[in-house]
Amino acid sequence: MKRLAVYCGSSMGADPAFADTARALGGEMARRGIGLVYGGGRLGLMGVVADAVLEAGGEAHGVIPQALTDLEVAHRGLTELHVVTTMHERKAKMTELTDAFVALPGGIGTLDELFEAWTWNALGYHAKPFCLLNVHGFWDRMIGFLDDVTGSGFMSPARRGQLLVADGIDAAIDMLDAAAQAGERKMVW
Ligand code: AMP
C-alpha cells in the first residue's frame, strides 16, 4: 500500500483520544512510507493527521473544493494540494490517488466519504478496501446498526463483511495492506 486516504472530522471531537490517534496514525504512516490522501484542510482531526505525517517526513496529498479553501482553511504546507470544483470531484480524486481508506471519528462528511468508498467498492467501481479505526468504541453503535440492516434483509452478509474494523493503528494498516493486495474489482451482493 503506497497511499492511504484518511477520512476524519474537520472538528477535534470531544475525546482527546481522537486527536491522539490521528497524530499517531500520521506518524506511523510516515514511518511505513505510506503517503496520506485527505481533504486538504487544516481544521480538526484532518489538520492533525496531515501535520503529523509532514512532521515525520511523510507525504501528504490534499484534495479540496475551491469553495472550501477558506472555510476549511486549506493546508498550504502539503506535498501537493489539488483544488477541485465539487464535492463529487473531491471524492473521485481522493479515490483515484489512494490504495485504501480508513475512517477515524468524524461527522457527516466522514460518514458520506466512508459510505461512498463502500458502495463504490460493492458495485465493482474499485477494489480498494476500507476500515473503521474504532477509537474508544466511537463506531460501536453504527456497527450494531449495520448488523441490523443485514438482519432486516437490506444488506447481504457478504457486503456487511466488507467493512473492516480495527481497534488500533497497526491492526488497521496491516488489515488494509493485506486486503489491498488481495483486492479485485467485483460486484458484491
Ligand atoms: P466532517 O466529518 O463533517 O467534519 O467532515 C469531514 C470532511 O468531509 C470535511 O472536509 C468535509 O468538507 C468533507 N465533506 C462533507 N461532505 C462531503 C461530501 N458530500 N463529499 C465530500 N466531502 C465531504
Side-chain angles (χ1 to χ4, degrees):
M1 183 167 60
K2 289 197 172 71
R3 288 191 189 149
L4 174 59
V6 177
Y7 290 153
C8 60
S10 53
S11 311
M12 286 293 190
D15 183 341
F18 300 153
D20 292 345
T21 304
R23 202 170 297 113
L25 173 64
E28 184 57 23
M29 285 172 64
R31 259 188 301 283
R32 294 196 192 205
I34 299 170
L36 169 71
V37 176
Y38 87 115
R42 293 187 58 185
L43 298 182
L45 300 185
M46 295 170 65
V48 172
V49 72
D51 285 339
V53 166
L54 294 166
E55 274 161 29
E59 284 192 358
H61 304 264
V63 185
I64 196 163
Q66 179 67 51
L68 291 184
T69 51
D70 292 337
L71 211 64
E72 292 189 351
V73 197
H75 198 305
R76 298 294 171 185
L78 300 175
T79 313
E80 188 179 32
L81 180 67
H82 299 267
V83 180
V84 296
T85 310
T86 65
M87 287 293 203
H88 290 114
E89 260 183 77
R90 181 192 225 180
K91 285 179 290 188
K93 188 72 187 171
M94 290 169 81
T95 303
E96 178 196 316
L97 291 175
T98 195
D99 299 309
F101 308 87
V102 64
L104 264 64
I108 54 168
T110 304
L111 294 169
D112 173 72
E113 288 163 335
L114 167 76
F115 282 107
E116 187 164 287
W118 190 349
T119 50
W120 287 15
N121 182 311
L123 295 173
Y125 287 97
H126 66 71
K128 302 174 181 190
F130 42 92
C131 177
L132 299 175
L133 187 40
N134 199 12
V135 186
H136 282 185
F138 176 82
W139 295 112
D140 285 350
R141 278 149 298 158
M142 188 183 80
I143 292 166
F145 173 70
L146 291 167
D147 288 336
D148 290 347
V149 173
T150 297
S152 301
F154 288 108
M155 175 161 59
S156 69
R159 253 188 199 179
R160 169 66 187 85
Q162 289 191 291
L163 179 66
L164 303 174
V165 181
D167 289 331
I169 289 164
D170 284 322
I173 296 177
D174 292 346
M175 255 184 221
L176 288 169
D177 221 358
Q181 282 176 41
E184 53 170 311
R185 275 167 64 144
K186 61 174 188 296
M187 191 87 91
V188 177
W189 286 109

